[in-house]
Amino acid sequence: MTFEKILVTGAGGQIGSELVPLLSSIFGEERVIPSDVKEIKDKRFKYLDVTDKNSVDLLIEKNKVDTIFHLAAILSASGENNPELAYRVNVEGLHNILNSSLKNKVNLVMIPSTIGVFGPETPKENVPIETITRPTTIYGITKVLAEQLGYYYYRRFGLNVRGLRYPGLLSYKSPPGGGTTDYAIEMIIKAVKGENYSCFLRQNSKLPMMYMPDALEAIMKLAEAEDKNLKHRTDFNVSSFSFTPAELESKLREYYPSFTVNYNPDFRQNIADSWPWSLDSSAAKKEWNFSPSFNFDQTVKDMIYNLKGR
Ligand SMILES: NC(=O)c1ccc[n+]([C@@H]2O[C@H](COP(=O)([O-])OP(=O)(O)OC[C@H]3O[C@@H](n4cnc5c(N)ncnc54)[C@H](O)[C@@H]3O)[C@@H](O)[C@H]2O)c1
């Protein structure tokens, strides 16, 4: 059985804080265990450091977990500030989750990946799944390894590991967790507050993006996809649209005519420069019917509407 007892690691992060309520509404509150190293205000919360092998084992075994959404990670910008931690969490943490899943006969392990697996040698437009993946960040390197480790556990041991490469995710409910695309959320929040914004990327840094409702829909569709339809496993490209900071600035000026942005690129510019501009998501469409609902205009409009209401 799958989805009887669902463990979410890194549940307090940008995705987890929206995925936990969604899973709870679909499968029932009592079936979901939100875990993290930072405390979450939720009576079901369990402290779990994924780098602690024994605790991972104990929690999965004791709660008879059959499904895992493994979201615990150190993202691109935070990873460059602490590469050792990024390696421990993103690689050793995943290794612990996979080993414990095998031992405890977990039915499904979802492991989000990222456009961070690509690097400067990757083509820029409409990037296919199978291409050059030589990232320059520790985040990207750990995520290439994570995708491959997931494939290995599937092929070698038959563990049902699935993953998708998210682009930058836009959301208004919880703050982003130290990624390179965080600027977009920060810029929208500043515009809504009536403040100007200092952007850490150049005007013309085009990057692929997606609105959180589509990101949640994507991970749920992949989790529930029929096994026989999957030719890929841990590296599905998914994205909705792409834009530059300048394009977002001018979109926001349609709502806030006096809004302005200063551009002061920092170390994150190098990361953005190494990533593609757009992705080919056709395998996700073909194998599990992925089709995003929100385009750029609708996403910005919806974010502004919800941020204003807060
Ligand atoms: N948000 C995005 O734009 C984006 C884009 C591409 C891929 N992803 C991927 O999606 C997944 C979730 O990302 P997110 O945006 O929610 O990240 P986030 O940084 O917002 O959240 C990650 C969570 O992991 C927790 N964590 C850190 N170390 C831990 C440890 N040792 N044990 C347990 N928990 C730990 C943090 O406390 C945090 O709550 C990651 O695998 C990430 O690579 C996210």
PDB file of all heavy atoms in Angstrom, residues 174-196:
ATOM      1  N   SER A 174       5.230  30.924   1.987  1.00  0.00           N
ATOM      2  CA  SER A 174       6.404  30.842   2.876  1.00  0.00           C
ATOM      3  C   SER A 174       7.644  31.287   2.116  1.00  0.00           C
ATOM      4  O   SER A 174       7.699  31.174   0.892  1.00  0.00           O
ATOM      5  CB  SER A 174       6.577  29.419   3.398  1.00  0.00           C
ATOM      6  OG  SER A 174       6.616  28.561   2.305  1.00  0.00           O
ATOM      7  N   PRO A 175       8.631  31.797   2.839  1.00  0.00           N
ATOM      8  CA  PRO A 175       9.791  32.377   2.156  1.00  0.00           C
ATOM      9  C   PRO A 175      10.631  31.308   1.461  1.00  0.00           C
ATOM     10  O   PRO A 175      10.657  30.155   1.897  1.00  0.00           O
ATOM     11  CB  PRO A 175      10.586  33.020   3.293  1.00  0.00           C
ATOM     12  CG  PRO A 175      10.088  32.399   4.546  1.00  0.00           C
ATOM     13  CD  PRO A 175       8.717  31.881   4.288  1.00  0.00           C
ATOM     14  N   PRO A 176      11.312  31.700   0.368  1.00  0.00           N
ATOM     15  CA  PRO A 176      12.182  30.753  -0.316  1.00  0.00           C
ATOM     16  C   PRO A 176      13.415  30.433   0.533  1.00  0.00           C
ATOM     17  O   PRO A 176      13.769  31.185   1.434  1.00  0.00           O
ATOM     18  CB  PRO A 176      12.557  31.486  -1.595  1.00  0.00           C
ATOM     19  CG  PRO A 176      12.380  32.925  -1.306  1.00  0.00           C
ATOM     20  CD  PRO A 176      11.313  33.020  -0.260  1.00  0.00           C
ATOM     21  N   GLY A 177      14.059  29.301   0.240  1.00  0.00           N
ATOM     22  CA  GLY A 177      15.084  28.769   1.149  1.00  0.00           C
ATOM     23  C   GLY A 177      16.542  28.937   0.742  1.00  0.00           C
ATOM     24  O   GLY A 177      17.334  28.042   0.967  1.00  0.00           O
ATOM     25  N   GLY A 178      16.901  30.059   0.103  1.00  0.00           N
ATOM     26  CA  GLY A 178      18.327  30.259  -0.186  1.00  0.00           C
ATOM     27  C   GLY A 178      18.724  29.789  -1.563  1.00  0.00           C
ATOM     28  O   GLY A 178      19.818  29.263  -1.766  1.00  0.00           O
ATOM     29  N   GLY A 179      17.846  30.001  -2.534  1.00  0.00           N
ATOM     30  CA  GLY A 179      18.156  29.632  -3.917  1.00  0.00           C
ATOM     31  C   GLY A 179      18.496  30.863  -4.746  1.00  0.00           C
ATOM     32  O   GLY A 179      18.396  32.000  -4.275  1.00  0.00           O
ATOM     33  N   THR A 180      18.860  30.626  -6.021  1.00  0.00           N
ATOM     34  CA  THR A 180      19.292  31.712  -6.905  1.00  0.00           C
ATOM     35  C   THR A 180      18.093  32.423  -7.538  1.00  0.00           C
ATOM     36  O   THR A 180      18.199  33.569  -7.957  1.00  0.00           O
ATOM     37  CB  THR A 180      20.229  31.116  -7.981  1.00  0.00           C
ATOM     38  OG1 THR A 180      21.314  30.504  -7.282  1.00  0.00           O
ATOM     39  CG2 THR A 180      20.762  32.157  -8.936  1.00  0.00           C
ATOM     40  N   THR A 181      16.940  31.734  -7.598  1.00  0.00           N
ATOM     41  CA  THR A 181      15.756  32.343  -8.187  1.00  0.00           C
ATOM     42  C   THR A 181      14.902  33.076  -7.146  1.00  0.00           C
ATOM     43  O   THR A 181      13.842  33.606  -7.472  1.00  0.00           O
ATOM     44  CB  THR A 181      14.897  31.275  -8.908  1.00  0.00           C
ATOM     45  OG1 THR A 181      14.675  30.199  -7.993  1.00  0.00           O
ATOM     46  CG2 THR A 181      15.592  30.750 -10.141  1.00  0.00           C
ATOM     47  N   ASP A 182      15.370  33.111  -5.895  1.00  0.00           N
ATOM     48  CA  ASP A 182      14.624  33.789  -4.815  1.00  0.00           C
ATOM     49  C   ASP A 182      14.345  35.257  -5.136  1.00  0.00           C
ATOM     50  O   ASP A 182      13.404  35.853  -4.601  1.00  0.00           O
ATOM     51  CB  ASP A 182      15.416  33.777  -3.495  1.00  0.00           C
ATOM     52  CG  ASP A 182      15.582  32.387  -2.906  1.00  0.00           C
ATOM     53  OD1 ASP A 182      15.153  31.423  -3.548  1.00  0.00           O
ATOM     54  OD2 ASP A 182      16.159  32.278  -1.809  1.00  0.00           O
ATOM     55  N   TYR A 183      15.185  35.850  -6.008  1.00  0.00           N
ATOM     56  CA  TYR A 183      15.030  37.276  -6.295  1.00  0.00           C
ATOM     57  C   TYR A 183      13.606  37.602  -6.755  1.00  0.00           C
ATOM     58  O   TYR A 183      13.061  38.672  -6.448  1.00  0.00           O
ATOM     59  CB  TYR A 183      16.057  37.741  -7.368  1.00  0.00           C
ATOM     60  CG  TYR A 183      15.543  37.554  -8.772  1.00  0.00           C
ATOM     61  CD1 TYR A 183      14.728  38.524  -9.371  1.00  0.00           C
ATOM     62  CD2 TYR A 183      15.817  36.396  -9.492  1.00  0.00           C
ATOM     63  CE1 TYR A 183      14.208  38.328 -10.642  1.00  0.00           C
ATOM     64  CE2 TYR A 183      15.298  36.197 -10.749  1.00  0.00           C
ATOM     65  CZ  TYR A 183      14.496  37.165 -11.319  1.00  0.00           C
ATOM     66  OH  TYR A 183      13.967  36.973 -12.561  1.00  0.00           O
ATOM     67  N   ALA A 184      13.013  36.658  -7.528  1.00  0.00           N
ATOM     68  CA  ALA A 184      11.709  36.949  -8.147  1.00  0.00           C
ATOM     69  C   ALA A 184      10.638  37.144  -7.068  1.00  0.00           C
ATOM     70  O   ALA A 184       9.838  38.076  -7.137  1.00  0.00           O
ATOM     71  CB  ALA A 184      11.321  35.823  -9.107  1.00  0.00           C
ATOM     72  N   ILE A 185      10.671  36.266  -6.056  1.00  0.00           N
ATOM     73  CA  ILE A 185       9.690  36.394  -4.965  1.00  0.00           C
ATOM     74  C   ILE A 185       9.964  37.688  -4.187  1.00  0.00           C
ATOM     75  O   ILE A 185       9.043  38.451  -3.881  1.00  0.00           O
ATOM     76  CB  ILE A 185       9.773  35.173  -4.021  1.00  0.00           C
ATOM     77  CG1 ILE A 185       9.446  33.900  -4.800  1.00  0.00           C
ATOM     78  CG2 ILE A 185       8.846  35.343  -2.819  1.00  0.00           C
ATOM     79  CD1 ILE A 185       9.565  32.617  -3.997  1.00  0.00           C
ATOM     80  N   GLU A 186      11.236  37.924  -3.902  1.00  0.00           N
ATOM     81  CA  GLU A 186      11.597  39.140  -3.149  1.00  0.00           C
ATOM     82  C   GLU A 186      11.127  40.390  -3.894  1.00  0.00           C
ATOM     83  O   GLU A 186      10.609  41.326  -3.285  1.00  0.00           O
ATOM     84  CB  GLU A 186      13.118  39.214  -2.961  1.00  0.00           C
ATOM     85  CG  GLU A 186      13.695  38.145  -2.047  1.00  0.00           C
ATOM     86  CD  GLU A 186      15.226  38.139  -2.039  1.00  0.00           C
ATOM     87  OE1 GLU A 186      15.857  39.041  -2.630  1.00  0.00           O
ATOM     88  OE2 GLU A 186      15.788  37.207  -1.433  1.00  0.00           O
ATOM     89  N   MET A 187      11.313  40.393  -5.228  1.00  0.00           N
ATOM     90  CA  MET A 187      10.952  41.583  -6.014  1.00  0.00           C
ATOM     91  C   MET A 187       9.437  41.835  -5.955  1.00  0.00           C
ATOM     92  O   MET A 187       8.988  42.974  -5.769  1.00  0.00           O
ATOM     93  CB  MET A 187      11.405  41.423  -7.478  1.00  0.00           C
ATOM     94  CG  MET A 187      11.399  42.735  -8.237  1.00  0.00           C
ATOM     95  SD  MET A 187      11.598  42.570 -10.031  1.00  0.00           S
ATOM     96  CE  MET A 187      13.310  42.153 -10.210  1.00  0.00           C
ATOM     97  N   ILE A 188       8.665  40.757  -6.069  1.00  0.00           N
ATOM     98  CA  ILE A 188       7.196  40.919  -6.042  1.00  0.00           C
ATOM     99  C   ILE A 188       6.762  41.427  -4.659  1.00  0.00           C
ATOM    100  O   ILE A 188       5.937  42.341  -4.552  1.00  0.00           O
ATOM    101  CB  ILE A 188       6.486  39.595  -6.414  1.00  0.00           C
ATOM    102  CG1 ILE A 188       6.875  39.171  -7.827  1.00  0.00           C
ATOM    103  CG2 ILE A 188       4.967  39.752  -6.308  1.00  0.00           C
ATOM    104  CD1 ILE A 188       6.400  37.781  -8.249  1.00  0.00           C
ATOM    105  N   ILE A 189       7.345  40.861  -3.602  1.00  0.00           N
ATOM    106  CA  ILE A 189       6.970  41.286  -2.238  1.00  0.00           C
ATOM    107  C   ILE A 189       7.285  42.771  -2.041  1.00  0.00           C
ATOM    108  O   ILE A 189       6.463  43.533  -1.511  1.00  0.00           O
ATOM    109  CB  ILE A 189       7.699  40.419  -1.180  1.00  0.00           C
ATOM    110  CG1 ILE A 189       7.127  38.996  -1.195  1.00  0.00           C
ATOM    111  CG2 ILE A 189       7.572  41.029   0.221  1.00  0.00           C
ATOM    112  CD1 ILE A 189       7.849  38.002  -0.300  1.00  0.00           C
ATOM    113  N   LYS A 190       8.455  43.206  -2.509  1.00  0.00           N
ATOM    114  CA  LYS A 190       8.823  44.625  -2.360  1.00  0.00           C
ATOM    115  C   LYS A 190       7.848  45.528  -3.113  1.00  0.00           C
ATOM    116  O   LYS A 190       7.420  46.564  -2.594  1.00  0.00           O
ATOM    117  CB  LYS A 190      10.248  44.863  -2.887  1.00  0.00           C
ATOM    118  CG  LYS A 190      11.328  44.336  -1.968  1.00  0.00           C
ATOM    119  CD  LYS A 190      11.489  45.225  -0.757  1.00  0.00           C
ATOM    120  CE  LYS A 190      12.693  44.826   0.054  1.00  0.00           C
ATOM    121  NZ  LYS A 190      12.820  45.590   1.291  1.00  0.00           N
ATOM    122  N   ALA A 191       7.504  45.128  -4.335  1.00  0.00           N
ATOM    123  CA  ALA A 191       6.584  45.952  -5.137  1.00  0.00           C
ATOM    124  C   ALA A 191       5.243  46.097  -4.408  1.00  0.00           C
ATOM    125  O   ALA A 191       4.693  47.196  -4.311  1.00  0.00           O
ATOM    126  CB  ALA A 191       6.384  45.334  -6.521  1.00  0.00           C
ATOM    127  N   VAL A 192       4.746  44.978  -3.873  1.00  0.00           N
ATOM    128  CA  VAL A 192       3.449  45.011  -3.183  1.00  0.00           C
ATOM    129  C   VAL A 192       3.527  45.897  -1.937  1.00  0.00           C
ATOM    130  O   VAL A 192       2.567  46.604  -1.604  1.00  0.00           O
ATOM    131  CB  VAL A 192       2.983  43.569  -2.819  1.00  0.00           C
ATOM    132  CG1 VAL A 192       1.743  43.587  -1.944  1.00  0.00           C
ATOM    133  CG2 VAL A 192       2.728  42.761  -4.084  1.00  0.00           C
ATOM    134  N   LYS A 193       4.691  45.888  -1.279  1.00  0.00           N
ATOM    135  CA  LYS A 193       4.858  46.724  -0.074  1.00  0.00           C
ATOM    136  C   LYS A 193       5.050  48.200  -0.405  1.00  0.00           C
ATOM    137  O   LYS A 193       5.178  49.032   0.490  1.00  0.00           O
ATOM    138  CB  LYS A 193       6.091  46.268   0.703  1.00  0.00           C
ATOM    139  CG  LYS A 193       5.862  45.029   1.559  1.00  0.00           C
ATOM    140  CD  LYS A 193       7.123  44.775   2.363  1.00  0.00           C
ATOM    141  CE  LYS A 193       7.004  43.603   3.307  1.00  0.00           C
ATOM    142  NZ  LYS A 193       8.340  43.197   3.797  1.00  0.00           N
ATOM    143  N   GLY A 194       5.182  48.500  -1.693  1.00  0.00           N
ATOM    144  CA  GLY A 194       5.397  49.897  -2.087  1.00  0.00           C
ATOM    145  C   GLY A 194       6.853  50.319  -1.920  1.00  0.00           C
ATOM    146  O   GLY A 194       7.169  51.508  -1.875  1.00  0.00           O
ATOM    147  N   GLU A 195       7.753  49.330  -1.861  1.00  0.00           N
ATOM    148  CA  GLU A 195       9.189  49.639  -1.727  1.00  0.00           C
ATOM    149  C   GLU A 195       9.908  49.307  -3.028  1.00  0.00           C
ATOM    150  O   GLU A 195       9.404  48.521  -3.827  1.00  0.00           O
ATOM    151  CB  GLU A 195       9.789  48.809  -0.581  1.00  0.00           C
ATOM    152  CG  GLU A 195       9.200  49.142   0.777  1.00  0.00           C
ATOM    153  CD  GLU A 195       9.631  48.148   1.863  1.00  0.00           C
ATOM    154  OE1 GLU A 195      10.630  47.429   1.664  1.00  0.00           O
ATOM    155  OE2 GLU A 195       8.932  48.081   2.883  1.00  0.00           O
ATOM    156  N   ASN A 196      11.100  49.883  -3.211  1.00  0.00           N
ATOM    157  CA  ASN A 196      11.907  49.530  -4.375  1.00  0.00           C
ATOM    158  C   ASN A 196      12.766  48.313  -4.030  1.00  0.00           C
ATOM    159  O   ASN A 196      12.845  47.915  -2.880  1.00  0.00           O
ATOM    160  CB  ASN A 196      12.749  50.722  -4.814  1.00  0.00           C
ATOM    161  CG  ASN A 196      11.844  51.825  -5.336  1.00  0.00           C
ATOM    162  OD1 ASN A 196      10.812  51.549  -5.944  1.00  0.00           O
ATOM    163  ND2 ASN A 196      12.218  53.067  -5.072  1.00  0.00           N
TER     164      ASN A 196
END
